[in-house]
Amino acid sequence: MATATKNKRTNKVDFDKIRKDFPLLKREMNGKPIVFLDSAASSQKPNYVLRAMDQYYKKLHANVHRGVYQLSQEATDAFEKSRRLVKEFINAPSEKECIFVRGTTEGINLVASSYGRKNLQAGDEVLISTMEHHSNIVPWQMVCEEKGAHLKVVPINEDGEMIMSEFDKLLTDKTKIVSINHISNALGTINPIREVIAKAHAKGIPVMIDGAQAIPHLKVDVQELDVDFYTFSGHKMCGPTGIGILYGKAALLNAMPPYHGGGEMIETVTFEKTTYNTLPHKFEAGTPDIAGVVGLGAAVEYMQKIGHEAIAQHEHDLLKYGTAELKKIDGLRIVGEAKEKASVISFLLEGSHPYDVGTILDKLGIAVRTGHHCTQPLMARFGIPGTVRASFAFYNNKEDVDKLVEGVKRAARMLG
Amino acid sequence: MTINEIQDEIIEEFAFFDDWMEKYEYIIDLGKSLPLIDPKYKDEAHLIKGCQSQVWLHAANEEKQVDFTADSDAIITKGIIALLVRVLSGQPAEAVAHSDLYFIDKIGLKEHLSPTRSNGLVSMVKQMKMYGVALA
Ligand SMILES: Cc1ncc(COP(=O)(O)O)c(C=O)c1O
């Protein structure tokens, strides 16, 4: 990769150069050079990932795990190489524990459905937080309803942090699983998942972490965290859409019933009885998104080459700068001011609806998210209809922040 | 004036704007101008939920003619509502039911009436036409 170059002398990553790896960032929106500040929804893709997927289809494509012929073997090798890369990326003990899923949503649904159905009984409880994405609420609600179990919710404080004394109270003998996000997509809060995991494990309760927002920003080491399930989406970390990972401890995954039935996940099938394949194939029914998996592997390589430390530092600088500059605007209120925060700024302009602010920013070529960010209960907690959310990735720069601040000032003038 | 005459009039008015700023400032002013709906109708029964903004719509009819009042929590949405109400309110129910709202595209606000925008406006227009059908 000629791209993500480090300056050898200073060992500093050249983020201006890295920005050039992303062809989409060269386009315009509404006649202005695009300022893309919605990476928390989905990140843009570097050439390295695009090329890997293109080359896969041009030179390697055949169905995986099936053919006796060389091409199919090569496709399978490329596919399984990505699994290895992911294993190393999150430091999983084994490749078998890294299951390809469509994304975070499917990862959570798989666990809620398979683990939840098997282990939940009437009166049991599932513990989540107020700041969960709908995809970490609804699957649990569905299985709770079916089983007569209850969803318990850890409240948060005004800054958008989980109240840990309440967590302690809600973690009881009835709790069968805890499912919390690592980083809140709406507020940017980095949750104290180490503490959550330690406390749950002290009571023998497994923990699932929704890592959708964390994986693009932080180094995640599932062994060091001792997390039971960790799931994330490729498309938020420079990979393609439609592919993600569910990591689970082998002991738990082995004890769980399959999620989808079909090809690939079986050992033998007769009309009387089917026996299931071993991990990870047991949870990978059907032809997988092979090109997506290859793209995800390339995204892992790309991110690793830059390095999480440099990424986190660069994004933190943008967060600090953006927060300080936005706060200077009269009537602007930041929603979510946790002490530990990722590069997400949710805000409101006094007297203005987020939709109006977003519409004017759009006209200025600035892409931000407006609305409830799939966290309606969280918005209800703050008593607001939604927020404007700017999120920064490592390919953003200070100039993007300046344009955002100028844009918000313009919106404030027009709407005020 | 007929629905199409009003639409043409709006298109002419918008032709004077030099850029998007002027246009949006005008829409924002329209949105700010007056409460468009009797507060008692701003309830659940009159609410059209969008993902981005919410809209309230009330229809009253008199002798085969429909009178609309509406509101939104977002000012730009409300400004566009003011235009839609200007075009459709007070018109014969039959004409409302069959109206073709081409002015939105012509004045460059088509994106606000896209289903993916989810601001409540698409549902509101649908609802207005349904009142037309029901009352015709
Ligand atoms: C915290 C969080 N959880 C879950 C999801 C769902 O991810 P996906 O839509 O990729 O399945 C998202 C994405 O917006 C998210 O931010």
Side-chain angles (χ1 to χ4, degrees):
Chain A
M1 208 179 344
T3 43
T5 37
K6 286 184 188 172
N7 181 326
K8 285 219 178 66
R9 258 179 311 123
T10 58
N11 204 28
K12 255 185 82 114
V13 178
D14 184 351
F15 282 101
D16 289 334
K17 195 160 179 189
I18 282 172
R19 187 179 169 99
K20 299 200 176 86
D21 293 343
F22 293 79
L24 185 135
L25 297 177
K26 296 186 183 106
R27 69 160 273 177
E28 298 191 336
M29 187 170 82
N30 283 316
K32 315 253 179 351
I34 193 165
V35 178
F36 188 76
L37 300 177
D38 195 22
S39 296
S42 196
S43 74
Q44 295 305 338
K45 317 303 170 200
N47 281 318
Y48 186 71
V49 169
L50 302 175
R51 220 176 294 128
M53 294 176 74
D54 185 52
Q55 288 299 304
Y56 166 76
Y57 272 128
K58 281 181 180 156
K59 295 190 176 153
L60 289 174
H61 176 69
N63 212 333
V64 291
H65 300 135
R66 305 198 181 167
V68 293
Y69 51 91
Q70 187 192 353
L71 179 63
S72 169
Q73 191 52 52
E74 286 176 17
T76 306
D77 289 347
F79 183 84
E80 290 300 330
K81 178 185 166 203
S82 285
R83 203 189 302 272
R84 243 179 357 263
L85 288 166
V86 167
K87 170 204 172 277
E88 284 157 22
F89 188 55
I90 60 173
N91 192 30
S94 155
E95 287 157 40
K96 292 191 170 68
E97 295 168 305
C98 301
I99 296 159
F100 289 121
V101 289
R102 284 192 319 220
T104 308
T105 303
E106 191 176 50
I108 298 168
N109 273 280
L110 192 159
V111 175
S113 174
S114 178
Y115 185 87
R117 280 225 189 91
K118 174 139 193 220
N119 294 288
L120 286 177
Q121 289 172 357
D124 286 346
E125 293 175 358
V126 173
L127 189 55
I128 63 169
S129 85
T130 306
M131 65 183 112
E132 300 311 319
H133 188 280
H134 293 164
S135 64
N136 196 26
I137 303 173
V138 185
W140 298 111
Q141 262 171 347
M142 285 160 61
V143 63
C144 281
E145 199 164 308
E146 190 182 315
K147 293 287 174 180
H150 305 288
L151 198 60
K152 292 283 165 178
V153 185
V154 184
I156 57 169
N157 63 23
E158 275 305 305
D159 287 337
E161 296 165 319
M162 264 203 292
I163 304 172
M164 288 309 285
S165 56
E166 295 295 322
F167 172 84
D168 296 345
K169 284 186 218 155
L170 288 164
L171 191 72
T172 70
D173 296 341
K174 290 185 186 158
T175 313
K176 285 293 162 326
I177 188 163
V178 176
S179 191
I180 303 273
N181 65 56
H182 195 165
I183 294 180
S184 154
N185 65 309
L187 305 175
T189 308
I190 303 176
N191 282 309
I193 63 165
R194 272 185 189 77
E195 188 183 343
V196 165
I197 293 166
K199 285 178 167 169
H201 283 181
K203 294 197 161 169
I205 302 163
V207 177
M208 161 143 221
I209 297 294
D210 165 356
Q213 293 296 332
I215 208 79
H217 304 295
L218 310 173
K219 171 74 192 149
V220 171
D221 180 331
V222 294
Q223 291 193 69
E224 193 243 322
L225 289 169
D226 195 23
V227 65
D228 302 284
F229 299 104
Y230 196 100
T231 186
F232 58 91
S233 305
H235 70 93
K236 292 188 201 276
M237 51 163 283
C238 299
T241 53
I243 193 72
I245 290 290
L246 170 67
Y247 159 79
K249 285 182 181 165
L252 290 167
L253 291 174
N254 277 322
M256 282 157 57
Y259 178 47
H260 290 151
E264 191 76 19
M265 54 77 74
I266 52 92
E267 185 186 51
T268 59
V269 178
T270 64
F271 286 119
E272 289 69 41
K273 186 169 174 56
T274 293
T275 57
Y276 303 121
N277 203 337
T278 52
L279 291 176
H281 309 295
K282 172 177 153 185
F283 289 106
E284 293 180 354
T287 299
D289 178 359
I290 310 167
V293 165
V294 169
L296 176 61
V300 165
E301 288 181 307
Y302 183 80
M303 300 277 292
Q304 271 180 327
K305 181 100 178 183
I306 303 171
H308 266 112
E309 237 169 80
I311 289 173
Q313 186 59 51
H314 181 77
E315 290 173 349
H316 187 74
D317 291 347
L318 293 178
L319 173 71
K320 242 174 82 183
Y321 178 63
T323 304
E325 291 302 305
L326 283 171
K327 273 188 165 174
K328 290 180 191 160
I329 299 172
D330 261 352
L332 187 139
R333 169 186 155 208
I334 290 180
V335 182
E337 297 202 81
K339 282 175 282 301
E340 297 293 327
K341 226 185 126 170
S343 51
V344 168
I345 307 179
S346 250
F347 63 92
L348 285 168
L349 267 183
E350 202 184 335
S352 300
H353 196 283
Y355 180 77
D356 295 325
V357 179
T359 299
I360 291 169
L361 291 176
D362 167 48
K363 289 281 159 203
L364 294 164
I366 303 165
V368 294
R369 193 68 152 199
T370 64
H372 53 63
H373 318 297
C374 297
T375 57
Q376 285 180 3
L378 177 63
M379 297 296 120
R381 155 66 180 79
F382 282 108
I384 53 180
T387 69
V388 183
R389 182 190 71 186
S391 52
F392 309 114
F394 59 84
Y395 45 69
N396 289 118
N397 56 27
K398 251 182 98 178
E399 201 184 326
D400 290 336
V401 178
D402 289 336
K403 284 183 179 164
L404 170 71
V405 172
E406 272 317 301
V408 174
K409 283 183 186 160
R410 170 94 69 104
R413 277 200 303 277
M414 286 179 73
L415 294 165
Chain B
M1 277 169 90
T2 66
I3 287 176
N4 287 358
E5 282 166 0
I6 302 173
Q7 293 201 76
D8 294 340
E9 190 179 74
I10 294 173
I11 293 166
E12 233 170 83
E13 286 166 19
F14 271 74
F16 286 109
F17 298 132
D18 286 330
D19 60 13
W20 71 270
M21 281 265 287
E22 288 185 3
K23 190 158 79 186
Y24 275 78
E25 271 164 357
Y26 176 69
I27 293 164
I28 290 163
D29 278 344
L30 280 180
K32 279 182 194 160
S33 50
L34 275 176
L36 297 162
I37 195 169
D38 189 324
K40 75 168 182 252
Y41 296 129
K42 277 182 84 164
D43 60 8
E44 198 65 31
H46 294 85
L47 177 65
I48 297 169
K49 271 200 176 134
C51 219
Q52 295 284 346
S53 58
Q54 314 208 35
V55 170
W56 292 267
L57 174 68
H58 175 71
N61 69 309
E62 247 176 77
E63 297 282 314
K64 303 244 167 230
Q65 158 190 322
V66 215
D67 292 316
F68 291 111
T69 50
D71 201 352
S72 172
D73 53 352
I75 205 87
I76 292 173
T77 307
K78 198 168 160 187
I80 296 166
I81 286 176
L83 292 171
L84 287 164
V85 167
R86 179 173 154 197
V87 169
L88 292 179
S89 192
Q91 296 291 339
E94 177 81 28
V96 171
H98 297 110
S99 58
D100 166 21
L101 298 172
Y102 55 82
F103 83 103
I104 290 287
D105 195 1
K106 286 268 164 56
I107 63 177
L109 293 176
K110 192 174 68 177
E111 73 230 39
H112 291 279
L113 261 103
S114 127
T116 55
R117 196 92 173 190
S118 187
N119 52 12
L121 282 177
V122 173
S123 306
M124 187 186 90
V125 168
K126 223 181 259 166
Q127 193 81 37
M128 286 170 125
K129 289 188 180 179
M130 261 156 57
Y131 277 122
V133 173
L135 299 170

